[in-house]
């Protein structure tokens, strides 16, 4: 999928300098969604620390931007020092933006990014009660298994193709252009 504009917003990868936007998004999650995202209740300090590690090169993060703010995010994390056979995905959509297809769309981006990095198993864990997460994982043909009160989703991305590599690169350049235009319009308004 190469279209980057949805519901009046834009999906693109976050830059290393944008961890503050990721942090603000995670802080806007209500208590229940924070618990669903991290598997247990977490404090603001935990979130700040977690978000500050966004740029540590162990992950890539997609954001859904509206007016320069992130309202949904999807992370692909390495399980090791370099991209290997296994990786992990995590998702967060703010309450007001849920049930519009954003989680499904973001999961598609993460699966494609995993595919393009040679990942063979993309794992996602969520609480057993998290019906939305399980629904979007099933839509992407994940095998779901229950383990100690959690559900582990395992998606096996296909091998990369020229098309999947091109689509990601095309999205990245389009995302870059949209980010620059957004910055430019902010500077014009501020002047
Ligand atoms: C899980 C999450 C990422 C899903 O994002 P989203 O944007 O709401 O997802 P979508 O709109 O693409 O899809 C939601 C699906 O769940 C379905 N759904 C909603 N409520 C449901 C319920 N109570 N039971 C079953 N399915 C439900 C929707 O109908 C939709 O399915 P459909 O497209 O077939 O109709 C989002 O709810 C979220 O961020 N939750 C808090 C954090 C979290 O749980 N993260 C996952 C663990 S890492």
């Amino acid at each position: 999928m190469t279209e980057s504009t949805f519901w009046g917003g834009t999906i693109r990868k976050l830059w290393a300098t944008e961890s503050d936007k990721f942090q603000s998004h995670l802080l806007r999650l209500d208590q229940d969604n924070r618990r669903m995202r991290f598997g247990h209740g977490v404090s603001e300090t935990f979130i700040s620390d977690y978000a500050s590690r966004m740029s540590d090169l162990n992950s890539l993060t997609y954001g859904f931007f509206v007016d320069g703010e992130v309202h949904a995010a999807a992370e692909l994390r390495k399980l090791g020092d370099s991209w290997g056979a296994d990786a992990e995905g995590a998702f967060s959509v703010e309450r007001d933006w849920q049930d519009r297809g954003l989680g499904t769309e973001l999961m598609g981006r993460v699966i494609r990014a995993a595919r393009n990095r040679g990942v063979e198993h993309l794992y996602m864990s969520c609480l057993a009660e998290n019906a939305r997460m399980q629904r979007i994982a099933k839509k992407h043909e994940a095998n779901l298994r229950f383990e100690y009160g959690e559900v582990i989703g395992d998606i096996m991305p296909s091998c990369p193709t020229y098309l999947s590599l091109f689509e990601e690169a095309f999205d990245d350049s389009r995302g870059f252009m949209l980010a620059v235009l957004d910055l430019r319009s902010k500077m014009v308004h501020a002047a």
Side-chain angles (χ1 to χ4, degrees), residues 99-117:
D99 291 331
R100 303 176 187 208
L102 265 170
T104 305
E105 182 63 35
L106 286 164
M107 193 176 284
R109 302 298 173 107
V110 162
I111 293 169
R112 187 184 60 194
R115 175 183 188 181
N116 288 343
R117 283 153 188 79

mmCIF file of all heavy atoms in Angstrom, residues 99-117:
data_model
loop_
_atom_site.group_PDB
_atom_site.id
_atom_site.type_symbol
_atom_site.label_atom_id
_atom_site.label_comp_id
_atom_site.label_asym_id
_atom_site.label_seq_id
_atom_site.Cartn_x
_atom_site.Cartn_y
_atom_site.Cartn_z
ATOM 1 N N ASP A 99 -10.976 2.163 16.099
ATOM 2 C CA ASP A 99 -12.078 1.599 15.300
ATOM 3 C C ASP A 99 -12.308 2.335 13.982
ATOM 4 O O ASP A 99 -13.433 2.421 13.496
ATOM 5 C CB ASP A 99 -13.386 1.565 16.124
ATOM 6 C CG ASP A 99 -13.304 0.540 17.241
ATOM 7 O OD1 ASP A 99 -12.572 -0.458 17.085
ATOM 8 O OD2 ASP A 99 -13.951 0.747 18.275
ATOM 9 N N ARG A 100 -11.249 2.923 13.436
ATOM 10 C CA ARG A 100 -11.346 3.556 12.112
ATOM 11 C C ARG A 100 -10.450 2.857 11.105
ATOM 12 O O ARG A 100 -10.250 3.350 10.002
ATOM 13 C CB ARG A 100 -10.908 5.023 12.185
ATOM 14 C CG ARG A 100 -11.679 5.849 13.173
ATOM 15 C CD ARG A 100 -11.073 7.244 13.206
ATOM 16 N NE ARG A 100 -11.674 8.034 14.268
ATOM 17 C CZ ARG A 100 -11.777 9.349 14.229
ATOM 18 N NH1 ARG A 100 -11.325 10.013 13.183
ATOM 19 N NH2 ARG A 100 -12.309 10.003 15.230
ATOM 20 N N GLY A 101 -9.783 1.797 11.530
ATOM 21 C CA GLY A 101 -8.910 1.075 10.610
ATOM 22 C C GLY A 101 -7.434 1.419 10.754
ATOM 23 O O GLY A 101 -6.578 0.857 10.056
ATOM 24 N N LEU A 102 -7.115 2.337 11.691
ATOM 25 C CA LEU A 102 -5.709 2.763 11.818
ATOM 26 C C LEU A 102 -4.797 1.630 12.305
ATOM 27 O O LEU A 102 -3.695 1.444 11.778
ATOM 28 C CB LEU A 102 -5.613 3.920 12.820
ATOM 29 C CG LEU A 102 -5.638 5.316 12.232
ATOM 30 C CD1 LEU A 102 -5.794 6.346 13.341
ATOM 31 C CD2 LEU A 102 -4.367 5.579 11.440
ATOM 32 N N GLY A 103 -5.251 0.885 13.307
ATOM 33 C CA GLY A 103 -4.433 -0.222 13.832
ATOM 34 C C GLY A 103 -4.145 -1.240 12.739
ATOM 35 O O GLY A 103 -3.010 -1.713 12.593
ATOM 36 N N THR A 104 -5.159 -1.543 11.933
ATOM 37 C CA THR A 104 -4.994 -2.498 10.832
ATOM 38 C C THR A 104 -3.980 -1.972 9.823
ATOM 39 O O THR A 104 -3.085 -2.697 9.368
ATOM 40 C CB THR A 104 -6.362 -2.707 10.128
ATOM 41 O OG1 THR A 104 -7.322 -3.114 11.109
ATOM 42 C CG2 THR A 104 -6.269 -3.741 9.036
ATOM 43 N N GLU A 105 -4.108 -0.686 9.493
ATOM 44 C CA GLU A 105 -3.204 -0.072 8.515
ATOM 45 C C GLU A 105 -1.764 -0.063 9.040
ATOM 46 O O GLU A 105 -0.820 -0.418 8.320
ATOM 47 C CB GLU A 105 -3.687 1.368 8.252
ATOM 48 C CG GLU A 105 -2.887 2.129 7.224
ATOM 49 C CD GLU A 105 -2.954 1.523 5.834
ATOM 50 O OE1 GLU A 105 -4.016 0.997 5.460
ATOM 51 O OE2 GLU A 105 -1.931 1.576 5.128
ATOM 52 N N LEU A 106 -1.604 0.321 10.312
ATOM 53 C CA LEU A 106 -0.256 0.381 10.894
ATOM 54 C C LEU A 106 0.373 -1.009 10.968
ATOM 55 O O LEU A 106 1.575 -1.170 10.737
ATOM 56 C CB LEU A 106 -0.313 1.019 12.288
ATOM 57 C CG LEU A 106 -0.527 2.535 12.297
ATOM 58 C CD1 LEU A 106 -0.951 3.016 13.695
ATOM 59 C CD2 LEU A 106 0.730 3.274 11.856
ATOM 60 N N MET A 107 -0.464 -2.014 11.267
ATOM 61 C CA MET A 107 0.094 -3.368 11.325
ATOM 62 C C MET A 107 0.596 -3.796 9.945
ATOM 63 O O MET A 107 1.640 -4.440 9.819
ATOM 64 C CB MET A 107 -0.941 -4.369 11.855
ATOM 65 C CG MET A 107 -0.312 -5.683 12.228
ATOM 66 S SD MET A 107 -1.452 -6.863 12.961
ATOM 67 C CE MET A 107 -1.665 -6.248 14.602
ATOM 68 N N GLY A 108 -0.120 -3.386 8.908
ATOM 69 C CA GLY A 108 0.334 -3.679 7.540
ATOM 70 C C GLY A 108 1.704 -3.064 7.274
ATOM 71 O O GLY A 108 2.585 -3.694 6.678
ATOM 72 N N ARG A 109 1.910 -1.813 7.751
ATOM 73 C CA ARG A 109 3.225 -1.158 7.558
ATOM 74 C C ARG A 109 4.328 -1.920 8.285
ATOM 75 O O ARG A 109 5.434 -2.083 7.773
ATOM 76 C CB ARG A 109 3.225 0.272 8.117
ATOM 77 C CG ARG A 109 2.202 1.206 7.539
ATOM 78 C CD ARG A 109 2.434 1.389 6.069
ATOM 79 N NE ARG A 109 1.344 2.157 5.499
ATOM 80 C CZ ARG A 109 1.426 3.410 5.104
ATOM 81 N NH1 ARG A 109 2.564 4.052 5.195
ATOM 82 N NH2 ARG A 109 0.386 4.019 4.577
ATOM 83 N N VAL A 110 4.019 -2.343 9.513
ATOM 84 C CA VAL A 110 5.039 -3.026 10.321
ATOM 85 C C VAL A 110 5.379 -4.386 9.694
ATOM 86 O O VAL A 110 6.549 -4.782 9.647
ATOM 87 C CB VAL A 110 4.544 -3.156 11.780
ATOM 88 C CG1 VAL A 110 5.313 -4.207 12.546
ATOM 89 C CG2 VAL A 110 4.673 -1.812 12.481
ATOM 90 N N ILE A 111 4.365 -5.081 9.191
ATOM 91 C CA ILE A 111 4.627 -6.389 8.557
ATOM 92 C C ILE A 111 5.500 -6.190 7.311
ATOM 93 O O ILE A 111 6.458 -6.926 7.078
ATOM 94 C CB ILE A 111 3.303 -7.099 8.189
ATOM 95 C CG1 ILE A 111 2.547 -7.475 9.460
ATOM 96 C CG2 ILE A 111 3.569 -8.339 7.333
ATOM 97 C CD1 ILE A 111 1.119 -7.938 9.232
ATOM 98 N N ARG A 112 5.200 -5.157 6.545
ATOM 99 C CA ARG A 112 6.009 -4.911 5.345
ATOM 100 C C ARG A 112 7.450 -4.540 5.722
ATOM 101 O O ARG A 112 8.408 -5.024 5.102
ATOM 102 C CB ARG A 112 5.382 -3.785 4.509
ATOM 103 C CG ARG A 112 6.090 -3.615 3.168
ATOM 104 C CD ARG A 112 5.540 -2.439 2.394
ATOM 105 N NE ARG A 112 5.710 -1.201 3.150
ATOM 106 C CZ ARG A 112 5.099 -0.061 2.871
ATOM 107 N NH1 ARG A 112 4.236 -0.001 1.871
ATOM 108 N NH2 ARG A 112 5.312 1.025 3.591
ATOM 109 N N ALA A 113 7.607 -3.704 6.767
ATOM 110 C CA ALA A 113 8.966 -3.332 7.208
ATOM 111 C C ALA A 113 9.715 -4.575 7.688
ATOM 112 O O ALA A 113 10.910 -4.743 7.416
ATOM 113 C CB ALA A 113 8.884 -2.284 8.312
ATOM 114 N N ALA A 114 9.012 -5.469 8.406
ATOM 115 C CA ALA A 114 9.650 -6.709 8.894
ATOM 116 C C ALA A 114 10.062 -7.564 7.693
ATOM 117 O O ALA A 114 11.189 -8.091 7.641
ATOM 118 C CB ALA A 114 8.671 -7.461 9.788
ATOM 119 N N ARG A 115 9.163 -7.686 6.746
ATOM 120 C CA ARG A 115 9.443 -8.474 5.536
ATOM 121 C C ARG A 115 10.694 -7.955 4.833
ATOM 122 O O ARG A 115 11.580 -8.719 4.450
ATOM 123 C CB ARG A 115 8.212 -8.319 4.631
ATOM 124 C CG ARG A 115 8.335 -8.948 3.293
ATOM 125 C CD ARG A 115 7.082 -8.649 2.481
ATOM 126 N NE ARG A 115 7.102 -9.409 1.247
ATOM 127 C CZ ARG A 115 6.166 -9.345 0.331
ATOM 128 N NH1 ARG A 115 5.121 -8.579 0.495
ATOM 129 N NH2 ARG A 115 6.261 -10.074 -0.762
ATOM 130 N N ASN A 116 10.779 -6.617 4.710
ATOM 131 C CA ASN A 116 11.908 -6.025 3.989
ATOM 132 C C ASN A 116 13.226 -6.152 4.742
ATOM 133 O O ASN A 116 14.285 -5.880 4.190
ATOM 134 C CB ASN A 116 11.608 -4.556 3.656
ATOM 135 C CG ASN A 116 10.564 -4.434 2.562
ATOM 136 O OD1 ASN A 116 10.298 -5.399 1.846
ATOM 137 N ND2 ASN A 116 9.964 -3.253 2.418
ATOM 138 N N ARG A 117 13.163 -6.524 6.035
ATOM 139 C CA ARG A 117 14.393 -6.721 6.813
ATOM 140 C C ARG A 117 14.677 -8.201 7.057
ATOM 141 O O ARG A 117 15.484 -8.558 7.912
ATOM 142 C CB ARG A 117 14.273 -5.949 8.145
ATOM 143 C CG ARG A 117 14.496 -4.457 7.908
ATOM 144 C CD ARG A 117 13.815 -3.570 8.916
ATOM 145 N NE ARG A 117 13.942 -2.168 8.478
ATOM 146 C CZ ARG A 117 13.169 -1.619 7.517
ATOM 147 N NH1 ARG A 117 12.237 -2.323 6.911
ATOM 148 N NH2 ARG A 117 13.372 -0.356 7.148
#
